[in-house]
Amino acid sequence: MGRPPKWLQQQMAPVQPKVLNYVPVPTIDAFHLSEAFYRLLMGPRNSGKSFGCCWEIIRRAIEQKHAPDGMRHTSWLVIRQTYPELFSSTIESWMMVAKDLGVLNQQTKVFAMRFGDIEAKVQFMALDIPDDRKHLLSVQRTGVWFNECREMPKPIIDTASEVAGRFPPMDWGGPTWRGIFMDTNPPDSDHWIYNHAEVLKSQGQLPDWDFFRQPGALMEVEGQFVPNPEAENIDHIDGGYNYYLRLMQGKSADHIRVYYCGQYGFVQEGKVVHPEFIDAQHAAKKLLQPDRHLPLVVGVDFGLTPACTIWQRQRNHQWWCLDEIATENTSIETFGDLLLGPMLRGKYAGFDYDVSCDPGSHRAETDERTGLEILAGFGINARPASTNNPEARRNALSKIFLRSIEGGPGALVSPNCIQLRKALSSKYYYRRVQVRNEEIYHDKPVKNFWSHVAESAEYALLGAGESGEERKPAHRESVFAGSPHAWMGV
């Protein structure tokens, strides 16, 4: 079978067989017993998920059949989103479980595990260094563990599936088990994890996937969060249920539901740009139906991820967000077709409207026309917003969520505007600067999929005059023939 690889040739004293004591909680026990190629373990914080995955590596290493040299060889890859998280959480959990079973090379981030007839390599990697991501396909592993996989793009999981099961080689007997396993706190309800676990799996489309969901540590009863008698790992937590009851103090209900109750939902990351928006208060309970006698206000953000939101101010001056279009890697031409066809010419045919756009000069990839010129070609007479000042934009949108009108909120967002709700609740945020013991944040929001739909809402309200500036509409009547409605119909 040739010489062992270099990582098996480290100078280490022989390690005697060990007695390993580990009793998993019920959900994690079922996770261990599954032979599915893909396995995902989801639960609240401190429920033992990471420890369970550490033990999964150890137990699969023990179960590996012997190679011709009489040893059981396996190789593992452990992936986290960032290196700070990898060192402060993932590797720390691993060392708590396996510190007596091998040696960690701090420079290479490789743990060489040796005890009895077990020889295994556990390599730790994060995704925030591009070169490391490029090397993912060049490795040969028995299995891959994604720690906190809700932060992982689905293509990374797909790529990892191509390296799992490639070690040990067949002339050493091949792997006894191979696959991908993952752990996570609950993601948002439109995350790929939710789609796989709750939709595709229930439709019988994922035969090689198994999902395991732990009960929450807390549960919500009549608006109150109380201990869940079905919770797991409580006996191993200092303080038991009081640990969670203490942690929940001062936290938002959404944070408690996700991290302590184990529910899908929105969670703020960093410092949210529009804290005035409260989903439970500003999200309408049912679809908002527009008043055909009142004009629409449309906000558009261009770029490679064009987005728009469609608003209407009601007769009592309450703002309603009726619709959204959120795209990714879409040309401005295609976006213009989406906006004109199903929306302005279809669903909202006959309405007066005013379109306020990102004032930046975004040009199409195929020619030199700007976004405004392309929209004009579709018959959409848009105009640039009066300013692109981030603070002016932010204030224009935030102020409507601070108002109270007739005892209700100053603005409502229709439940079908999922991406805008997510953006305002958590995904449109300022990233925290890594400064010890200080709450310092970048002065510009993170640019991501959700930032574009949020900024389109800012442009809409900015164009509608909510900044306090005098509004100068581009036109007063609809481009659609036969519409009698004027803009100032409220």
Side-chain angles (χ1 to χ4, degrees), residues 251-455:
K251 305 290 197 309
S252 69
D254 289 333
H255 185 102
I256 297 168
R257 292 184 184 109
V258 170
Y259 287 116
Y260 310 148
C261 297
Q263 299 177 11
Y264 295 103
F266 300 129
V267 179
Q268 295 179 6
E269 302 290 347
K271 180 182 177 182
V272 70
V273 176
H274 293 282
E276 303 84 1
F277 175 84
I278 301 172
D279 193 71
Q281 176 181 340
H282 295 108
K285 305 304 180 186
K286 59 182 180 180
L287 288 177
L288 299 177
Q289 301 299 326
D291 186 332
R292 300 193 63 84
H293 298 92
L294 299 178
L296 304 176
V297 174
V298 183
V300 176
D301 184 55
F302 292 126
L304 294 176
T305 310
C308 83
T309 47
I310 299 177
W311 297 74
Q312 189 178 64
R313 185 165 52 187
Q314 303 305 299
R315 296 181 186 277
N316 65 352
H317 295 278
Q318 184 184 54
W319 280 103
W320 286 4
C321 185
L322 303 169
D323 251 313
E324 66 178 14
I325 299 177
T327 68
E328 193 166 15
N329 294 324
T330 300
S331 68
I332 300 176
E333 295 94 331
T334 300
F335 175 74
D337 193 39
L338 289 172
L339 180 58
L340 181 64
M343 288 294 186
L344 296 184
R345 181 171 287 170
K347 187 175 182 179
Y348 297 104
F351 280 81
D352 281 310
Y353 67 89
D354 190 77
V355 183
S356 182
C357 296
D358 176 357
S361 182
H362 293 284
R363 298 188 180 275
E365 295 181 0
T366 55
D367 56 39
E368 290 298 309
R369 293 179 299 161
T370 66
L372 291 172
E373 292 169 341
I374 291 172
L375 292 184
F378 284 101
I380 302 173
N381 296 321
R383 60 186 172 84
S386 59
T387 179
N388 205 13
N389 180 279
E391 191 62 18
R393 293 194 340 245
R394 196 197 77 79
N395 289 339
L397 181 59
S398 290
K399 66 193 301 184
I400 70 173
F401 296 121
L402 290 172
R403 291 179 187 152
S404 176
I405 295 180
E406 299 176 352
L412 289 174
V413 178
S414 191
N416 58 302
C417 299
I418 296 173
Q419 306 306 337
L420 179 62
R421 290 172 55 203
K422 285 172 60 64
L424 298 180
S425 296
S426 63
K427 299 298 186 181
Y428 185 45
Y429 66 97
Y430 303 104
R431 192 186 304 279
R432 182 177 179 179
V433 179
Q434 296 298 320
V435 178
R436 186 181 296 273
N437 298 326
E438 290 190 62
E439 292 286 328
I440 299 177
Y441 298 89
H442 290 281
D443 58 0
K444 293 183 179 180
V446 172
K447 281 291 186 181
N448 56 25
F449 171 79
W450 294 276
S451 66
H452 300 282
V453 70
E455 290 177 5

Side-chain angles (χ1 to χ4, degrees), residues 77 79 123 125-127 129-141 144 146 154-167 180:
L77 183 62
I79 299 178
Q123 181 177 7
M125 176 187 295
L127 300 177
I129 296 182
D131 286 345
D132 286 356
R133 296 180 66 164
K134 292 178 183 178
H135 293 156
L136 183 58
L137 270 178
S138 65
V139 300
Q140 297 183 354
R141 299 289 181 252
V144 182
F146 285 95
K154 182 56 168 52
I156 295 293
I157 310 293
D158 297 336
T159 299
S161 69
E162 299 175 14
V163 306
R166 294 171 58 182
F167 188 90
I180 308 288

